[in-house]
Amino acid sequence: MLYLPQYYLFNRNKKYKTNTIMRKNALFLFVLFVGFTAFAQKTIPNLTLKNLQGKSVSLTELSKDKTLVFSFWATWCGPCVNELDAIAEQYEDLQDEKGFELIAVSVDDSRTKARVKPLVNGKDWDYQVLLDTNQEFKRKMNISTVPFVMIVKNGKIVYSHSGYTPGSEEELVEKFVEFKK
Amino acid sequence: MKFNQILPLLIVFISFSSIFAQDTGKVNVGFESNSQYYVDDAVTGDFTEEDNFRSNNYLKADYTINKFTFGLQAEGFAPQAILNYSPNLDKDVAVATYFANYKSKKIDATLGYFYEQFGSGLILRSWEDRQLGINNALRGAKISYYPTNKLKITALYGKHRVGFKVSEGEIFGFDTNYDASSENNTLQFGLSYVGRYHNTKDVYLADALTDKRFENLTNAFSGRINYAKNNIYANIEGIWKSKDAVVELGTVYSDKLFYGNALLLEMGYSKKGIGFTTTMRRIENMNFYSDRQTQGNTFNEQIVNFVPALTRQQDYSLANIYVYQAQPKLSFNPLVKAGEIGLQWDLYYKLKKGTKLGGKYGTKIALNFSNWYGLDSDYNRDFKRMHTKFFAFGERYFTDITLEVRKKLNKKNKMIFSYINSYYNKTYVEETHGIIKSNILAVEWSHKFENKKSLRAEAQHLWTKEDKKNWMAATTEFNFNSHISMFVGDMYNYGNDDTDKRSHYYNVGGSYAKNKTRIALSYGRQRGGLLCVGGVCRVVSPATGFSMSINTAF
């Protein structure tokens, strides 16, 4: 049952109002924020994730000297599955004709992780799948919602898009072709 | 100056000084803001609390230079956090987490706040989920060492984050993973230890008790094996937790001590076009919190381990009314519970192109079945004694069968049909009363127009003779292009016996997404109940109002 334990009664109503310290903090954060964004670079983090065969894959090595699409998805996310389904239908042609390659990064946690492999096979997807079980990759990329796609060229993120609407896979392919040049 | 003020300054100093260095490093910044403006409403009631406008804001920045990464997350809840978030999130703007990390081929070390998961998380998981208000990052130190590329050893110490403070309890963790895989099969072993030190003198005991018989330190051990070869795979994990006091409704019974344990088994077979998996789990007295007294708290604070409900996570709104939650706790009041036992099956199958049922494009079928029971036990409620049986099914808690069929009709049209049959034991799951048997049918249609425009429409119906009776719901979404989208939806409890409660829960809104930025606005009514993500739930109050959310990253 969900209830409010007594413990919380002690901490309730202790709301601190804005004071000078807060304002200072806010100013400090703002300066920090501006400072950071001034020289922000978009690169792929140096992380190692497991694939469906249990083998470790380094993101840096994977994206070295090529253009790739990373698609963040989860088995429970309807739009994500719709997007990957839509791309899967034409994936073979896209690979051959346009050199299109997609890495499907599953952010399923241990609740649904077991479902990733049968789903990928059951749907006959040909993507390389990586498992981001405790969402380290997702967190590093500051992604708050899935689906989220990004095009990575030589380790640099050149395009990203959040959300999926039917047909937006075509735009992704167009962008891919544009950046691959 | 306090420690937690020095570290951010240090980060700033290092980051700014590095501008003048040759390698300027890499920066990642993310910002998320979720706001609500609550209004009075005839159905959800007047908004009687302070501050109609509320906002949750998160700013996260990481800076990587060579082998070092420095990061911080500032959070602001101004003038207050959105309804149903923890009262501990009580600052207008403040640094919430920060860290410094060193990472080389052999070593990965973090000082400050960190996230971690051992095995499936049943023994330890710290993570963040802003929608659920969960952030149980540990503040302390963590070091991972890779002596060879087959072996990984991790040691950690920390205190769980609680709002802008940390828990009184302390966590010690040790984890080792060995990979004995060869070219054509996977074989991995893992061993973990988690210790929770929570001083008994900080505990408010049940009235009649003065004698503190339990240990400050609670120990948990786990072992696991993952195996895969060709098309099959099997994973097993077992956990044992040392004796700890029973906690009921926030009261600690220091003389009623019980062991905890869990067993998780996953097996599957899959090849092109078909996938099958089965998951079995038995959990007994596996509630594990940094501070004993916070056990079962609504805000999911101080959680040491992750015990998700192993059921299908539904995405239709009507299928999220009666949602199962895992039942790890042992208690005698208000109901006798010792844990949970059950299983889940999943089948994914693709009917081939060109066959009679597959049609031109092939048809995709997904079938899920899950069935969960309470652990059967012999007990004495007055004396708080319990003896559980290893393999015995008690009260039935939840059953769910979901069939989903996805069909592409032609280049422009796609359909999804879903049928869900469920049994929900509200008496045990929510500790209120009632058993709800329901059937849900949902149909979804999406259509692509010329010029990147598209339409998505769904219709749902829920049939039940119990609780609030029948519901129907519909949503239409129109996408002008891949950036701009509008939706309108409604859930209508037309079958409610009380005609005054035959309410509409409508929502209308739109969103704009470009690159890493997404802005969404909506207005509508929120049905009170459970909001669940990833098997963890948060209670939400019925409310009406405007919502705005902004996500962006640099």
Side-chain angles (χ1 to χ4, degrees), chain A residues 19 37 44-45 49 58 65 69 84 94 104 106 109-110 116 134 136 138-139 143-144 152 164 168 174:
Chain A
N19 56 30
T37 51
I44 199 140
L49 301 181
S58 150
D65 299 324
V69 174
L84 292 171
L94 290 173
S106 148
D109 63 26
S110 50
V116 174
N134 206 22
E136 201 181 351
K138 178 174 170 257
R139 195 159 45 238
I143 297 164
S144 39
V152 175
Y164 171 73
S168 73
E174 281 168 26

Side-chain angles (χ1 to χ4, degrees), chain A residues 1 3 8 15 18 41 43 53 82 85 89 110-111 115 121 124 126 134 139 142 144 160 171, chain B residues 26 60 92 120 125 186 270 272-273 298 301 309 311 313 344 346 364 406 408 482 515-516 551:
Chain A
M1 190 178 71
Y3 60 92
Y8 283 94
K15 174 69 197 167
T18 312
Q41 270 185 27
T43 45
Q53 287 70 45
N82 291 344
D85 259 346
E89 282 158 16
S110 50
R111 179 191 187 197
R115 205 170 282 154
N121 275 319
D124 201 5
D126 267 330
N134 206 22
R139 195 159 45 238
N142 292 307
S144 39
S160 42
E171 189 167 328
Chain B
K26 300 162 195 166
K60 178 176 158 289
D92 286 348
S120 74
R125 186 188 185 198
T186 305
S270 77
K272 268 203 163 308
T298 345
E301 289 180 315
T311 56
Q313 184 159 326
Q344 168 172 235
D346 269 293
K364 289 166 182 170
R406 285 169 178 258
K408 182 172 174 178
S482 66
N515 294 330
K516 284 193 157 185
N551 290 302

Side-chain angles (χ1 to χ4, degrees), chain B residues 24-50:
Chain B
T24 52
K26 300 162 195 166
V27 176
N28 273 309
V29 179
F31 176 70
E32 177 172 345
S33 172
N34 301 313
S35 307
Q36 292 273 354
Y37 184 85
Y38 299 100
V39 298
D40 295 346
D41 182 88
V43 169
T44 58
D46 288 351
F47 188 77
T48 52
E49 299 195 35
E50 266 181 58

Side-chain angles (χ1 to χ4, degrees), chain B residues 256-522:
Chain B
K256 307 295 176 203
L257 307 177
F258 292 92
Y259 292 108
N261 63 69
L263 187 65
L264 175 72
L265 195 62
E266 284 169 5
M267 283 179 296
Y269 170 86
S270 77
K271 63 170 197 180
K272 268 203 163 308
I274 187 166
F276 176 75
T277 176
T278 175
T279 312
M280 289 171 261
R281 189 174 71 184
R282 183 192 183 277
I283 45 176
E284 177 179 343
N285 192 25
M286 277 306 289
N287 261 353
F288 201 8
Y289 288 75
S290 244
D291 180 329
R292 288 180 173 88
Q293 298 158 108
T294 61
Q295 195 177 111
N297 73 81
T298 345
F299 307 110
N300 296 306
E301 289 180 315
Q302 313 211 27
I303 302 175
V304 176
N305 61 344
F306 177 54
V307 189
L310 296 178
T311 56
R312 185 186 156 106
Q313 184 159 326
Q314 305 287 1
D315 47 358
Y316 294 107
S317 56
L318 295 186
N320 277 303
I321 296 177
Y322 304 114
V323 191
Y324 186 59
Q325 297 163 265
Q327 301 293 317
K329 86 166 175 183
L330 185 148
S331 70
F332 296 89
N333 285 301
L335 292 161
V336 177
K337 288 179 170 182
E340 173 198 273
I341 184 165
L343 60 75
Q344 168 172 235
W345 292 328
D346 269 293
L347 173 74
Y348 292 91
Y349 186 69
K350 186 180 173 186
L351 291 162
K352 288 204 179 72
K353 287 179 196 175
T355 57
K356 200 175 176 190
L357 288 168
K360 192 180 170 191
Y361 300 94
T363 302
K364 289 166 182 170
I365 293 171
L367 185 66
N368 174 278
F369 169 72
S370 62
N371 203 8
W372 296 96
Y373 293 85
L375 271 187
D376 199 16
S377 61
D378 297 321
Y379 58 87
N380 181 316
R381 202 166 167 169
D382 299 332
F383 292 99
K384 291 195 196 301
R385 282 183 196 144
M386 174 126 36
H387 178 75
T388 55
K389 296 161 192 164
F390 182 76
F391 196 74
F393 298 83
E395 194 78 31
R396 184 192 192 190
Y397 287 169
F398 186 78
T399 306
D400 187 24
I401 301 162
T402 306
L403 174 71
E404 182 196 270
V405 179
R406 285 169 178 258
K407 182 95 196 119
K408 182 172 174 178
L409 304 176
N410 50 45
K411 279 203 162 175
K412 297 214 152 47
N413 295 292
K414 278 184 195 173
M415 304 282 293
I416 305 172
F417 301 91
S418 304
Y419 167 73
I420 302 158
N421 174 284
S422 92
Y423 172 100
Y424 181 72
N425 191 334
K426 198 174 178 181
T427 309
Y428 277 85
V429 179
E430 293 181 31
E431 294 184 5
T432 50
H433 66 277
I435 283 171
I436 296 125
K437 293 175 197 161
S438 66
N439 286 294
I440 298 170
L441 201 62
V443 181
E444 184 176 329
W445 168 57
S446 68
H447 176 79
K448 278 198 250 181
F449 296 97
E450 301 299 323
N451 322 324
K452 292 177 179 166
K453 288 184 176 53
S454 65
L455 179 78
R456 199 182 64 83
E458 60 183 52
Q460 310 165 47
H461 194 278
L462 181 150
W463 289 267
T464 179
K465 293 196 174 95
E466 286 93 26
D467 201 37
K468 292 175 181 162
K469 310 284 165 77
N470 290 4
W471 287 79
M472 55 183 171
T475 303
T476 308
E477 183 186 292
F478 186 77
N479 306 302
F480 294 87
N481 49 48
S482 66
H483 305 297
I484 300 169
S485 176
M486 305 272 289
F487 78 92
V488 52
D490 187 30
M491 284 169 76
Y492 179 33
N493 187 197
Y494 76 95
N496 205 315
D497 287 340
D498 184 345
T499 46
D500 292 340
K501 286 185 179 161
R502 289 182 184 169
S503 310
H504 285 276
Y505 294 89
Y506 54 82
N507 268 289
V508 52
S511 69
Y512 173 78
K514 189 154 194 213
N515 294 330
K516 284 193 157 185
T517 304
R518 187 168 187 276
I519 299 167
L521 284 165
S522 69

Side-chain angles (χ1 to χ4, degrees), chain A residues 54-69:
Chain A
K55 304 273 180 282
S56 297
V57 177
S58 150
L59 295 178
T60 323
E61 277 165 37
L62 187 69
S63 54
K64 209 174 185 177
D65 299 324
K66 62 173 148 180
T67 310
L68 286 174
V69 174

